[in-house]
Amino acid sequence: VNLRALTSWVGIARLFAVVLSCLAFSLVASTGDFAGPYGTWCMFTWCFCFAVTLLVLVLELLELYPKLPLSWDDFTSAFAMLAALMVFTTSVVFPSTFISSPCSSSKCARQAVAAAVSCLCFLAYAVEVGLTRAKPGDISSFLSTVPGLLKVFEAYVACLIFSLLDAYSSEAGLQWCVAVYSICFIVTLLIIVFTIGRCLTYIPCPLEKMLVGYNALALVMYITATVIWPLYSFRGRNRPDPCGRNCWWDKHLGVTFLTIFNLIAYLVDLVYSTKMVFI
């Protein structure tokens, strides 16, 4: 038994994440009000993060992880980043969707506490990401470096973009943007999966330079999507009044901002990757 898995700073952060995620979904489950896609997403996020983090703690406590056919450091770093992003999104979506003002009932109070606990859970995962991030000069696990963490961020933002896509088949420009999102997502996801599965060493080419080239190509593609998506989405089309929860205009605006976020991520990724390889 490796007690350091629970007593180290990383272990303590994971324990907090387990307790807080369990408390969040328990409070929301007690209200019985989590129907619809947004409620389902929030409950899935808390339950998924709770289950995987608990599994990580058990495997490290019993020292069983070396028997797994994967890069454990890459896996835990990637999951911590993914969990932080998922819980952050949930901490924004849940209160904005389910908590109404004024908040005076017992159910609303439990929902407010769940939202606050979710924010604390995000901080726990953010601390874990900071503690496990590779120090300058340490590249033993790629997904714990800044470019590796950015790969997880880029893939997650692409998933958010896919969840907001609506009515894009009528314009060739919008179809090109969807192709950009899809191609970059697939390649980025393959890099993450191959890294965790220790398969990158089988690629018969200089991997570091290939990643720099891919980041440069993805950056150029996202630059075109950043220009084309709002141009074709909002040209001659005003925001409907009223614009409800599933309004196409709001969804397209969300895709616009997420595209900009990923553009910045690929730019930073390119800078860091170039620095790691050539400098």
Side-chain angles (χ1 to χ4, degrees):
V1 176
N2 178 22
L3 293 179
R4 183 168 173 75
L6 303 179
T7 58
S8 65
W9 287 113
V10 175
I12 293 172
R14 289 170 179 165
L15 283 174
F16 271 105
V18 166
V19 173
L20 293 170
S21 58
C22 179
L23 184 58
F25 74 70
S26 299
L27 285 168
V28 175
S30 68
T31 66
D33 184 14
F34 51 89
Y38 295 108
T40 303
W41 162 257
C42 294
M43 288 295 285
F44 168 77
T45 295
W46 292 319
C47 294
F48 172 74
C49 294
F50 166 78
V52 178
T53 306
L54 183 60
L55 178 63
V56 169
L57 282 173
V58 171
L59 290 175
E60 291 207 344
L61 180 64
L62 301 179
E63 293 190 330
L64 297 175
Y65 64 90
K67 300 181 183 298
L68 299 176
L70 51 82
S71 174
W72 183 252
D73 291 337
D74 283 311
F75 170 74
T76 53
S77 297
F79 170 72
M81 184 64 177
L82 176 63
L85 294 170
M86 292 176 67
V87 175
F88 174 77
T89 305
T90 299
S91 301
V92 174
V93 170
F94 180 77
S96 61
T97 305
F98 290 94
I99 300 179
S100 57
S101 182
C103 184
S104 56
S105 64
S106 173
K107 184 181 81 169
C108 184
R110 280 177 285 172
Q111 290 174 329
V113 173
V117 168
S118 183
C119 293
L120 294 176
C121 186
F122 159 71
L123 292 178
Y125 281 116
V127 169
E128 182 183 349
V129 172
L131 291 173
T132 57
R133 187 173 68 86
K135 305 301 185 290
D138 180 14
I139 55 174
S140 57
S141 58
F142 170 70
L143 293 181
S144 64
T145 63
V146 173
L149 295 174
L150 284 172
K151 287 287 183 290
V152 180
F153 177 84
E154 292 154 4
Y156 181 75
V157 171
C159 290
L160 294 181
I161 290 175
F162 294 144
S163 69
L164 295 175
L165 289 177
D166 185 22
Y168 60 85
S169 58
S170 59
E171 297 282 355
L174 299 182
Q175 292 176 4
W176 162 253
C177 295
V178 174
V180 169
Y181 305 143
S182 302
I183 293 171
C184 293
F185 168 74
I186 292 172
V187 176
T188 302
L189 183 62
L190 288 176
I191 292 172
I192 295 172
V193 172
F194 285 175
T195 301
I196 294 175
R198 297 174 179 173
C199 299
L200 291 178
T201 54
Y202 298 105
I203 298 178
C205 60
L207 178 62
E208 297 82 2
K209 296 181 180 180
M210 184 191 72
L211 290 177
V212 172
Y214 163 68
N215 289 333
L217 178 61
L219 177 64
V220 173
M221 294 174 68
Y222 260 90
I223 289 175
T224 63
T226 303
V227 175
I228 293 174
W229 180 267
L231 178 65
Y232 279 84
S233 294
F234 305 114
R235 182 178 55 186
R237 307 170 73 183
N238 297 323
R239 188 174 189 269
D241 188 19
C243 190
R245 178 180 295 179
N246 293 318
C247 179
W248 67 266
W249 200 93
D250 288 347
K251 290 183 178 180
H252 284 215
L253 183 64
V255 172
T256 301
F257 280 106
L258 291 173
T259 303
I260 295 173
F261 292 159
N262 246 3
L263 172 65
I264 296 173
Y266 276 109
L267 175 61
V268 177
D269 194 354
L270 176 62
V271 172
Y272 268 89
S273 299
T274 304
K275 182 179 178 181
M276 289 175 61
V277 174
F278 297 105
I279 302 178

